[in-house]
Amino acid sequence: INFLLIEALLMELNYYPIKYKNDNDLEELIKYHNLPEKKKYISLSGNFFDYVINNKNVFYLKIKIYNDLVGELQIEKDTEIIYIALWIKPKKQKQGITSRVLIDVLNEKFVKFNKVIVSIDKDNQTSLALFTKIGFKHTKQEDELIYFEYKK
């Protein structure tokens, strides 16, 4: 029995859209986007939050447990394919939160899809193992990123 997953399924996990300039969590999210491990893949341009908020094919959600910001989820839809980017605060990792978010994504809580694509840093062994365990298949590697797909 996977008790961590059971605990994750029972936790009070909520998703909230960001409200850009007047969002209380914006400063913390910008701080995260400026971390070196994040910046090497995505540079935070001045219009990043405008893009994710105003694009009808992008869902950018804050992840909270009991009103505590624990991460973010970005889903970008391209016809029947969705691309996901998921970040959980380091202090909140290895508590089943990522598993729970992925279950919500795969159960189409946010958007319907035929295929999910995600890229993971080759050094992030925990995420590589988790996505493989959940049923994602390795498709390719480009530099430090390993790409995985999940097909329905």
Side-chain angles (χ1 to χ4, degrees), residues 63-104:
I63 304 167
K64 290 191 170 192
I65 298 176
Y66 302 113
N67 210 31
D68 179 31
L69 180 67
V70 297
E72 68 176 3
L73 171 65
Q74 181 179 334
I75 303 171
E76 190 155 350
K77 185 172 172 87
D78 180 17
T79 59
E80 296 300 314
I81 299 171
I82 62 171
Y83 301 86
I84 61 171
L86 175 59
W87 167 73
I88 303 298
K89 284 182 176 179
K91 291 181 181 179
K92 298 294 183 176
Q93 293 175 2
K94 298 185 181 179
Q95 296 179 26
I97 298 168
T98 301
S99 297
R100 167 65 187 280
V101 173
L102 288 174
I103 288 167
D104 287 346

Side-chain angles (χ1 to χ4, degrees), residues 16 18 96:
Y16 300 95
I18 193 165

Side-chain angles (χ1 to χ4, degrees), residues 14-17 29 35 37 45-46 54 57-58 61 66 68 87 90 93 95 98 106 113 119 127 138 140 143-144 151:
N14 294 294
Y15 304 93
Y16 300 95
L29 292 167
L35 292 173
E37 60 268 25
S45 65
N54 297 316
N57 293 320
V58 176
L61 303 168
Y66 302 113
D68 179 31
W87 167 73
Q93 293 175 2
Q95 296 179 26
T98 301
L106 298 179
F113 64 87
S119 59
S127 289
H138 173 264
K140 66 181 177 176
D143 301 318
E144 296 95 14
K151 293 182 183 177

Side-chain angles (χ1 to χ4, degrees), residues 86-148:
L86 175 59
W87 167 73
I88 303 298
K89 284 182 176 179
K91 291 181 181 179
K92 298 294 183 176
Q93 293 175 2
K94 298 185 181 179
Q95 296 179 26
I97 298 168
T98 301
S99 297
R100 167 65 187 280
V101 173
L102 288 174
I103 288 167
D104 287 346
V105 169
L106 298 179
N107 284 331
E108 298 182 328
K109 181 173 184 161
F110 311 104
V111 64
K112 296 197 178 302
F113 64 87
N114 286 330
K115 180 169 45 173
V116 179
I117 297 175
V118 64
S119 59
I120 302 170
D121 185 303
K122 68 179 175 64
D123 296 326
N124 188 341
Q125 295 301 313
T126 303
S127 289
L128 294 171
L130 174 64
F131 279 80
T132 300
K133 182 179 178 181
I134 288 178
F136 282 75
K137 304 293 183 211
H138 173 264
T139 57
K140 66 181 177 176
Q141 182 170 346
E142 292 179 3
D143 301 318
E144 296 95 14
L145 293 176
I146 298 176
Y147 288 80
F148 286 85

